[in-house]
Amino acid sequence: MLQHHQHPDAIMPDGVSLLDEILTQLLTERGLGRDCEDAEHIAVRLISLFQSGVRDRDMLRKMATPALLGELRAGHPVSPASC
């Protein structure tokens, strides 16, 4: 079995569940599908935040907001049309 202390960047099952729930909520709220580039940017942002130590659900949602505003895509707005 994978031990977290042996792989500090590993996300354990409860962390994966938390990130999946948040991602699903954010995508649903914005009418985005999981298979679009914008969803990938949001997921990458959530994982990065989680691996940097952010574990609080509300903080993860708030801190992922820049990704939703398109800041991760150098000014290109996130929109359902891009999915």
Side-chain angles (χ1 to χ4, degrees), residues 24-50:
T24 298
Q25 291 169 354
L26 293 173
L27 296 179
T28 300
E29 289 168 5
R30 287 151 183 87
L32 299 172
R34 284 182 172 260
D35 58 347
C36 69
E37 187 177 341
D38 292 334
E40 183 176 337
H41 286 285
I42 296 165
V44 167
R45 175 77 174 155
L46 284 169
I47 290 168
S48 175
L49 290 166
F50 191 87

Side-chain angles (χ1 to χ4, degrees), residues 10-31:
I11 300 175
M12 305 313 296
D14 53 340
V16 172
S17 294
L18 174 65
L19 293 172
D20 182 60
E21 288 173 23
I22 295 169
L23 179 62
T24 298
Q25 291 169 354
L26 293 173
L27 296 179
T28 300
E29 289 168 5
R30 287 151 183 87

